[in-house]
Amino acid sequence: MGKILETKELKKYYGSGAGIVRALDGVNLSVEEGEFLSIVGTSGSGKSTLLHMLGGLDRPTDGKVYVGGEDIFKLKEDELTIFRRRKIGFVFQSYNLIPVLNVYENIMLPIELDGGKIDKDHVTKIIHVLGLTEKIYSLPSQLSGGQQQRVAIARALAAKPVILLADEPTGNLDSKTSQDVLGLMKVTGEQFGQTIVMITHNEEIAQLADRMIRIEDGQIKKGGDPA
């Protein structure tokens, strides 16, 4: 075990002068390998911006992000894209499934786009753990919201990412389904050795993680380092 993810004085500013917005204002954060971390904050607190930086979707104004000890923003754009595809799994509030592809095809799509070798046993196991075995030939429109989110989680896990980043993954789900989906994320995280970082405004959901930190006005107010 060790640090898998770390930020050093991470800053993201928009605008300039009197109108400057400090979306992130010197964030220092470290996440242990295999940890399930939740980041809680209100709308506009900087949590989504932070998640985008951790996943290399957006470049910071200043500061560093290390994944497995590698400074990801030293990578060129095309290298960063490949790194993201192979090392980071994303789960968003909107499921982003392709409507004309069935469940199995949706899960396999990112690996096929990357030209990667498919570990069919691994994918079958994920599908089983997430309770999707009987749904693999269904189209997204034939699934409930909770089932669609489980497909999105399966798709994110299929490529064996080092880190799973979840942005309000239960935002479109009722509370019972939210608890179920989060429970499954925890189980799959433990089974497949994933490190999970989830952002949410829902404290009840956040408390299901191993550790919870709070972000306000672009700064961490509570718990940036593992205990």
Side-chain angles (χ1 to χ4, degrees):
M1 299 290 276
K3 283 180 194 168
I4 187 72
L5 184 59
E6 195 172 11
T7 72
K8 293 272 178 76
E9 287 300 316
L10 198 62
K11 296 176 182 173
K12 182 67 175 182
Y13 295 170
Y14 297 99
S16 60
I20 197 164
V21 175
R22 294 178 170 87
L24 293 178
D25 200 14
V27 170
N28 293 299
L29 173 67
S30 71
V31 185
E32 295 286 318
E33 197 174 343
E35 186 177 15
F36 182 5
L37 172 72
S38 64
I39 300 173
V40 70
T42 55
S43 180
S45 58
K47 61 186 190 301
S48 286
T49 305
L50 176 57
L51 200 82
H52 290 162
M53 300 287 158
L54 297 178
L57 292 171
D58 194 7
R59 288 183 180 267
T61 305
D62 199 10
K64 296 186 183 302
V65 173
Y66 298 95
V67 175
E70 183 169 14
D71 181 350
I72 66 170
F73 293 114
K74 279 195 170 161
L75 298 171
K76 295 192 186 88
E77 208 54 53
D78 54 342
E79 293 171 331
L80 186 56
T81 302
I82 291 166
F83 175 85
R84 234 184 358 245
R85 214 179 308 163
R86 293 181 183 166
K87 299 286 173 105
I88 313 278
F90 293 97
V91 179
F92 296 106
Q93 182 173 343
S94 52
Y95 321 121
N96 297 329
L97 302 178
I98 310 289
V100 295
L101 299 182
N102 68 30
V103 164
Y104 191 75
E105 290 163 340
N106 264 290
I107 291 167
M108 294 307 228
L109 187 64
I111 308 174
E112 288 170 349
L113 289 175
D114 191 41
K117 190 171 178 301
I118 292 168
D119 181 342
K120 289 208 167 143
D121 288 347
H122 175 69
V123 174
T124 303
K125 198 183 281 185
I126 290 167
I127 288 168
H128 174 70
V129 169
L130 288 167
L132 293 168
T133 307
E134 292 178 0
K135 299 287 183 185
I136 59 170
Y137 300 116
S138 302
L139 293 172
S141 60
Q142 297 168 311
L143 304 177
S144 69
Q147 288 167 336
Q148 289 188 60
Q149 191 59 295
R150 281 189 266 157
V151 176
I153 294 166
R155 180 183 57 192
L157 291 172
K160 299 184 182 175
V162 176
I163 298 165
L164 186 68
L165 299 178
D167 186 348
E168 296 279 11
T170 59
N172 287 332
L173 306 175
D174 62 58
S175 69
K176 165 81 172 74
T177 311
S178 295
Q179 299 271 354
D180 291 349
V181 166
L182 256 289
L184 285 166
M185 269 177 72
K186 274 189 90 146
V187 168
T188 52
E190 285 157 15
Q191 278 210 356
F192 302 112
Q194 307 295 146
T195 302
I196 302 172
V197 179
M198 172 183 74
I199 63 167
T200 181
H201 65 278
N202 184 328
E203 301 244 352
E204 204 180 326
I205 291 293
Q207 283 166 3
L208 293 170
D210 302 328
R211 178 166 63 107
M212 180 172 94
I213 67 170
R214 189 176 302 284
I215 187 167
E216 288 173 28
D217 301 324
Q219 295 182 323
I220 288 176
K221 299 297 181 190
K222 174 192 157 195
D225 278 298

